[in-house]
């Protein structure tokens, strides 16, 4: 990973010596992305800045890189995994002068022009100056894993790996783009498809699109755009299910092999699910010396992630650091502002915070670590979210149809009244002339996931890693793997893409069944979500609602945020929040205001306060109660008792029951559930085993459901547990 930046004139003039100060400032701002080395270059109308994190060939990979005749100049961020293969395909007279994996890009461009990225595998963002043509070439990888932003006017273009770098130049506006942000369906968690373009959140800031090459003529600023890759739209009808499974396994194994290639230490974020476990298993002999890192939160304790991560790490013979987030752990307002400025997105939330802290711990615990393997971006293309949208493939497709309808109504809002409530008697074709055939729906869904990956997944994975001088590597975003999944024909999708069957079957020879068949567990959504939402509630109320008031006072906030409603919602939330997603949505609204405030006077990241690095369970296995997470398991001999001020009440009809704490509803329980049966018998004397005995919880599945629910109540302080 590196930081790249640049300034170029678009009017045939040269850059003056005063530009050197701006280039130096750009390098300073991007220092966290490349703490190992920095270079600044200026010649004629072009200036470049580079900061390096050395993972491949640390002794011989400085940039800028120059072609043998000096006509091409390059700075690049990322990794070209198949650089040796590409170098061997170059004409015989070409001899690479460095060990950099990116040097081959110079000669691919010289040989193939705008087709130079056609066969490149990897993650990258690049700035290439063609001195002969006097053109600037900007490009990013197929999924936008590596970022590149710019601001331009008639005279100049300024470029940077991170948005904050652009504000080093006085021509870049310093304003949050409220209209653009509020129009983002992803930010609003709308039940529609994401149909682009990816937003940058700030006025006057653009990004080089993923899978795209921009070529800018420095004589007059004329710009051409060349798209070099698209998601496949044609199915492969010649292959059967076994063919797809075999190919998927082979391609994933090859992608992991390429991603574990480095000359410095790599780690791995291990969740205990199939995705990160698959990367670990396929790493083969590269696992030797590799350390894995797991977030130990109330949520990962409840949903079994922490336990399964520790188990698979032992099975595969690698150390597993379980990084403890104590029950009441909450970042300070100042620490949240630092994270928000690092990530540059109002979508910053609990998942982002947990990963950021994992990276910080990993870098402190393993100072030589420079790269982190991730299991991210698997679900998006192999059916990982199908189960969240339906009970089977048919109901999943019906959910896609509803999302599709909402997306299309957004394009023709004048027709929205016909679909407002109840059944619609108007054909969906009336919206835009398109039929709702299942194949079109699924491809619209894939396109939506592709855009979401760019807007959220790879965005925050890049920043949270970069903040600690670490490069995030994503084996599941090998374009060959995604192309294969996208070419699965409609007739095979229920068999291969429901419940991630293609991945589970492909990994059967490599993973124990316990992990290969473990149901999908979101990182913090689902069981245990209340832990993260309570953290946000505490954060918003800290220091007399300091973050809230700062967000409401930000430039533009009075025009776009209903301050009275925000304050009323905070009173309603209090600190005893359950699984209400409105808490996270409120945090996104506040994040917009906070970013608007931060960008008005951009801070230096290194001047913003960081919290002490968290600790792990340690080699002696500190108990979960010592880690302030409460009991890990609810032993049958333990005695549950209602916390002081807790009441269990029902409505007159007896259809719903309520847990109230100090007069406020904390939980709603439906009648005739096994957990309710147990809670109605809690007397502060009977053990859990006694409470379970003789009730409708005889089978282990129901008993485990009760234990999980009771554990959540203990974490929330609603039940007291006596061992």
């Amino acid at each position: 990973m590196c930081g790249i930046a640049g300034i170029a004139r678009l009017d045939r003039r040269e850059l003056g010596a005063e530009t050197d100060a701006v280039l130096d400032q750009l390098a300073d701002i991007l220092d966290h992305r490349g703490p190992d080395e920095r270079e600044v270059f200026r010649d004629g109308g072009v200036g470049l800045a580079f900061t390096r994190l050395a993972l491949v060939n640390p002794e011989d990979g400085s940039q800028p890189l120059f072609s043998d005749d000096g006509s091409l100049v390059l700075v690049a961020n990322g990794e070209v995994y198949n650089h040796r293969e590409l170098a061997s395909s170059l004409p015989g007279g070409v001899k690479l002068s460095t060990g950099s994996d990116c040097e081959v890009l110079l000669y691919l461009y010289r040989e193939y022009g705008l087709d130079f990225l056609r066969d490149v595998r990897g993650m990258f963002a690049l700035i290439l100056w063609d001195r002969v043509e006097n053109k600037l070439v900007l490009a990013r990888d197929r999924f936008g894993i590596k970022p590149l932003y710019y601001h331009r006017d008639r005279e100049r273009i300024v470029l940077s790996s991170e948005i904050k770098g652009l504000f080093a130049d006085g021509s870049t506006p310093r304003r949050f783009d409220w209209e653009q942000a509020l129009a983002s369906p992803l930010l609003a968690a709308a039940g529609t498809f994401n149909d682009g373009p990816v937003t940058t959140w700030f006025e006057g800031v653009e990004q080089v699109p993923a899978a795209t090459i921009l070529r800018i003529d420095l004589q007059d600023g004329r710009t051409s755009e060349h798209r070099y890759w698209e998601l496949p739209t044609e199915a492969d009808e010649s292959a059967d299910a076994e063919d797809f499974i075999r190919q998927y396994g082979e391609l994933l194994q090859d992608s992991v092999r390429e991603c574990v290639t480095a000359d410095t230490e790599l780690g791995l974020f291990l969740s205990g699910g199939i995705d990160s476990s698959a990367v670990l298993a396929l790493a083969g002999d590269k696992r030797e010396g590799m350390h894995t890192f797991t977030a130990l939160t109330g949520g990962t304790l409840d949903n079994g992630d922490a336990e399964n991560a520790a188990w698979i790490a032992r099975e595969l013979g690698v150390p597993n650091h379980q990084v403890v987030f104590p029950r009441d752990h909450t970042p300070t307002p100042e620490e949240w502002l630092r994270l928000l400025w690092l990530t540059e997105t109002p979508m910053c939330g609990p998942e982002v915070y947990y990963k950021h802290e994992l990276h910080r711990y990993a870098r402190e615990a393993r100072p030589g670590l420079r790269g982190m393997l991730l299991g991210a971006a698997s679900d998006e293309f192999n059916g990982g979210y199908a189960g969240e949208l339906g009970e089977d493939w048919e109901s999943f497709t019906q959910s896609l149809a509803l999302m599709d309808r909402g997306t299309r109504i957004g394009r023709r809002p004048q027709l929205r009244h016909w679909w407002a409530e109840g059944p619609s008697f108007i054909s969906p074709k009336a919206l835009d002339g398109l039929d709702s055939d299942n194949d079109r729906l699924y491809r619209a869904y894939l396109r939506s996931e592709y855009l979401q990956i760019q807007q959220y997944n790879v965005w925050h994975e890049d920043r949270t890693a970069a903040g600690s001088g670490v490069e995030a590597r994503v084996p599941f975003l090998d374009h060959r793997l995604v192309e294969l999944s996208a070419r699965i024909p409609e007739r095979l999708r229920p068999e291969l893409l429901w419940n991630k069957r293609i991945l589970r079957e492909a990994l059967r020879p490599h993973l124990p069944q316990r992990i290969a068949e473990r149901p999908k567990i979101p990182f913090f959504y689902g069981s245990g979500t209340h832990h993260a939402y309570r953290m946000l509630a505490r954060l918003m109320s800290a220091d007399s609602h300091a973050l809230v008031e700062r967000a409401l006072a930000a430039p533009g906030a009075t025009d776009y945020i209903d301050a009275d409603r925000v304050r009323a919602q905070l009173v309603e939330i209090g600190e005893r929040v359950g699984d209400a997603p409105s808490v996270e949505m409120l945090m996104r609204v506040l994040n917009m205001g906070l970013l608007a405030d931060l960008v008005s006077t951009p801070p230096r990241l290194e001047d913003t306060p960081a919290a002490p690095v968290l600790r792990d369970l340690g080699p002696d296995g500190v108990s979960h109660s010592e880690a302030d997470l409460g009991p890990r398991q609810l032993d049958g001999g333990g005695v549950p008792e209602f916390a002081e001020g807790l009441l269990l009440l029902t409505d007159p009809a007896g259809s719903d029951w309520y847990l109230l704490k100090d007069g406020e509803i904390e939980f709603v329980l439906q009648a005739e559930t096994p957990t309710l049966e147990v809670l109605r018998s809690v007397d502060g004397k009977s053990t859990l085993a006694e409470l379970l005995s003789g009730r409708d919880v005889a089978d282990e599945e129901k008993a485990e459901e009760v234990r999980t629910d009771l554990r959540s109540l203990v974490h929330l302080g609603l039940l007291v547990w006596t061992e």
Side-chain angles (χ1 to χ4, degrees):
M1 183 190 70
C2 303
I4 59 174
I7 303 174
R9 300 289 310 193
L10 305 177
D11 55 4
R12 305 185 187 187
R13 297 173 60 188
E14 294 190 355
L15 292 171
E18 70 280 358
T19 308
D20 292 345
V22 180
L23 292 171
D24 282 332
Q25 190 176 354
L26 281 166
D28 286 342
I29 292 170
L30 299 179
D31 181 72
H32 58 281
R33 298 186 67 87
D36 295 334
E37 185 180 347
R38 62 184 287 167
E39 295 288 342
V40 171
F41 165 88
R42 177 173 59 86
D43 183 41
V46 175
L48 301 172
F50 173 76
T51 65
R52 185 187 184 206
L53 181 73
L55 279 88
V56 176
N57 196 32
E59 296 79 21
D60 186 22
S62 298
Q63 296 188 32
L65 296 163
F66 299 86
S67 60
D68 50 16
D69 60 0
S71 65
L72 303 174
V73 186
L74 171 75
V75 289
N77 167 29
E79 306 289 338
V80 177
Y81 294 132
N82 61 332
H83 62 100
R84 291 187 178 86
E85 172 189 329
L86 293 168
S88 66
S89 70
L90 293 171
V94 174
K95 292 185 178 180
L96 302 185
S97 58
T98 76
S100 169
D101 54 291
C102 293
E103 186 183 3
V104 69
L105 298 172
L106 291 165
Y107 300 101
L108 290 173
Y109 175 78
R110 189 164 72 182
E111 186 72 14
Y112 302 112
L114 292 183
D115 286 331
F116 76 117
L117 298 176
R118 179 187 57 206
D119 298 321
V120 173
R121 294 197 302 272
M123 51 178 186
F124 52 84
L126 63 88
I127 305 170
L128 187 152
W129 179 28
D130 184 336
R131 282 168 149 166
V132 175
E133 297 277 341
N134 199 23
K135 292 180 179 178
L136 208 61
V137 177
L138 316 174
R140 289 172 73 204
D141 61 73
R142 293 165 177 83
F143 300 96
I145 302 171
K146 290 302 172 189
L148 185 57
Y149 303 93
Y150 65 91
H151 169 72
R152 62 179 293 177
D153 54 27
R154 292 184 178 181
E155 298 178 345
R156 299 194 309 167
I157 183 171
V158 185
L159 304 116
S160 174
S161 290
E162 296 185 9
I163 296 171
K164 61 182 69 67
L166 301 179
F167 303 124
D169 186 80
S171 67
T172 305
R174 296 183 173 188
R175 293 185 297 273
F176 184 78
D177 195 331
W178 290 93
E179 294 284 346
Q180 184 190 59
L182 292 170
S184 168
L186 187 58
L187 182 63
T192 64
F193 292 142
N194 305 297
D195 55 358
V198 175
T199 180
T200 64
W201 312 116
F202 297 93
E203 288 186 22
V205 174
E206 299 178 71
Q207 66 175 339
V208 178
T212 300
I213 299 169
L214 299 183
R215 186 157 65 172
I216 304 172
D217 192 327
L218 299 183
Q219 296 290 102
D220 52 20
R222 285 183 300 174
T223 303
S224 62
E225 183 173 314
H226 173 69
R227 182 94 186 174
Y228 68 88
W229 185 82
E230 296 281 0
L231 275 170
T233 56
E234 298 296 325
D236 180 2
E237 297 287 356
S238 65
D240 61 18
E242 291 301 317
D243 290 331
F244 279 109
I245 291 168
R246 176 185 52 78
Q247 292 178 59
Y248 191 97
E250 291 172 352
L251 287 173
L252 180 57
Q253 191 160 19
D254 192 50
S255 178
V256 172
R257 178 186 58 79
E258 291 183 336
C259 286
V260 298
T261 301
D263 297 320
T264 56
E265 181 180 343
L266 300 178
L268 183 142
F269 279 179
L270 188 61
S271 71
I274 188 173
D275 301 329
S276 57
S277 298
V279 175
L280 182 61
L282 296 177
D285 59 5
K286 295 292 185 179
R287 289 198 300 269
E288 184 176 352
M290 182 183 292
H291 287 240
T292 65
F293 305 89
T294 301
L296 180 55
T297 70
T300 62
L301 191 63
D302 284 355
N303 64 29
D305 265 356
E307 179 183 354
N308 280 279
W311 183 85
I312 190 61
R314 288 194 301 270
E315 287 291 302
L316 296 179
V318 296
N320 179 233
H321 301 263
Q322 301 235 331
V323 182
V324 178
F325 292 78
R327 182 176 8 185
D328 294 328
H329 177 79
T330 307
T332 66
E334 292 77 16
E335 289 159 8
W336 188 260
L337 288 170
R338 183 184 190 280
L339 176 63
L340 193 59
W341 189 238
L342 171 67
T343 57
E344 307 170 332
T345 171
M347 297 191 70
C348 184
E351 178 183 14
V352 177
Y353 174 71
Y354 292 144
K355 290 184 177 179
H356 173 255
E357 294 304 305
L358 276 183
H359 278 296
R360 293 181 66 224
Y361 169 84
R363 189 61 192 271
E364 180 171 279
R366 306 293 302 170
L369 185 146
R370 291 292 186 272
M372 190 68 72
L373 297 163
L374 308 175
S378 165
D379 292 314
E380 284 74 9
F381 300 110
N382 66 19
Y385 296 129
E388 297 180 11
L389 296 173
E391 297 179 353
D392 53 26
W393 191 262
E394 182 179 356
S395 59
F396 167 62
T397 303
Q398 291 170 355
S399 296
L400 296 188
L402 291 175
M403 295 173 69
D404 180 61
R405 187 178 73 176
T407 306
R408 293 158 72 184
I409 289 174
R411 300 188 191 119
R412 295 196 67 187
Q414 68 272 24
L415 299 181
R416 68 187 183 279
H417 309 292
W418 289 101
W419 283 273
E421 294 180 5
S424 172
F425 305 104
I426 309 301
S427 166
K429 194 171 183 178
L431 287 168
D432 51 19
L434 295 175
D435 289 317
S436 295
D437 66 277
N438 288 344
D439 185 63
R440 187 189 67 78
L441 287 176
Y442 186 72
R443 296 204 176 279
Y445 167 73
L446 285 185
R447 173 69 178 168
S448 176
E449 293 299 293
Y450 175 63
L451 291 170
Q452 178 171 309
I453 278 175
Q454 298 170 53
Q455 186 74 79
Y456 177 67
N457 300 68
V458 299
W459 185 309
H460 83 258
E461 299 287 12
D462 173 84
R463 300 302 198 285
T464 54
S468 295
V470 175
E471 176 178 87
R473 293 190 171 185
V474 197
F476 281 99
L477 285 184
D478 185 307
H479 72 276
R480 301 168 300 171
L481 202 61
V482 173
E483 287 172 355
L484 179 75
S485 297
R487 290 193 176 108
I488 294 174
E490 187 176 349
R491 61 184 170 83
L492 293 179
R493 287 173 193 156
E495 179 180 355
L496 295 177
L497 297 176
W498 178 256
N499 192 29
K500 303 167 74 167
R501 285 315 322 167
I502 188 169
L503 174 61
R504 297 185 192 280
E505 294 300 325
L507 268 293
R508 190 176 293 277
H510 304 282
L511 280 176
Q513 185 175 8
R514 170 174 171 171
I515 301 298
E517 294 299 334
R518 185 176 178 232
K520 171 180 168 52
I521 301 293
F523 181 64
F524 83 90
Y525 291 101
S527 175
T529 312
H530 54 270
H531 297 284
Y533 288 160
R534 283 168 61 86
M535 180 187 76
L536 290 184
R538 292 192 298 269
L539 172 64
M540 288 185 279
S541 64
D543 297 347
S544 301
H545 300 100
L547 285 183
V548 177
E549 296 306 323
R550 182 167 178 174
L552 296 179
T558 55
D559 296 328
Y560 293 98
I561 300 179
D562 185 336
D564 291 339
R565 187 69 199 99
V566 167
R567 294 187 179 104
Q569 182 70 7
L570 286 167
V571 173
E572 184 177 329
I573 289 172
E575 275 208 32
R576 291 182 294 275
V577 60
D579 286 346
S582 59
V583 179
E584 188 171 9
M585 296 310 298
L586 177 56
M587 192 74 247
R588 292 184 181 186
V589 170
L590 297 178
N591 283 344
M592 286 191 281
L594 294 171
L595 284 170
D597 182 64
L598 287 167
V599 74
S600 64
T601 309
R604 287 165 50 94
L605 190 63
E606 60 268 30
D607 293 339
T608 54
V613 174
L614 295 169
R615 63 185 179 121
D616 70 357
L617 286 184
D620 298 327
V622 176
S623 71
H624 292 74
S625 58
E626 288 179 287
D628 196 22
L629 290 169
R632 182 177 186 181
Q633 300 292 338
L634 299 190
D635 184 84
V639 176
E641 181 180 0
F642 289 137
E644 184 178 353
L646 190 75
L647 295 175
L648 178 62
L649 302 174
T650 185
D651 57 23
S655 58
D656 286 320
W657 288 71
Y658 306 92
L659 280 174
L660 284 80
K661 178 78 181 297
D662 299 329
E664 295 189 21
I665 296 176
E666 296 289 348
F667 262 78
V668 179
L669 301 107
Q670 293 182 340
E672 301 180 359
T673 62
T675 301
L676 177 60
E677 287 295 309
V678 169
L679 287 175
R680 290 181 65 185
S681 302
V682 167
D683 56 10
K685 300 176 182 178
S686 303
T687 66
L688 178 59
E690 292 169 339
L691 293 172
L692 292 174
S693 176
R695 292 181 172 80
D696 188 23
V697 288
D699 67 80
E700 182 56 31
E701 183 176 345
K702 288 185 178 179
E704 182 56 32
E705 178 185 337
V706 172
R707 283 192 288 267
T708 298
D709 289 343
L710 296 186
R711 189 162 55 236
S712 295
L713 295 176
V714 171
H715 289 324
L716 287 171
L718 304 179
L719 277 184
V720 177
W721 189 262
T722 304
E723 298 286 353

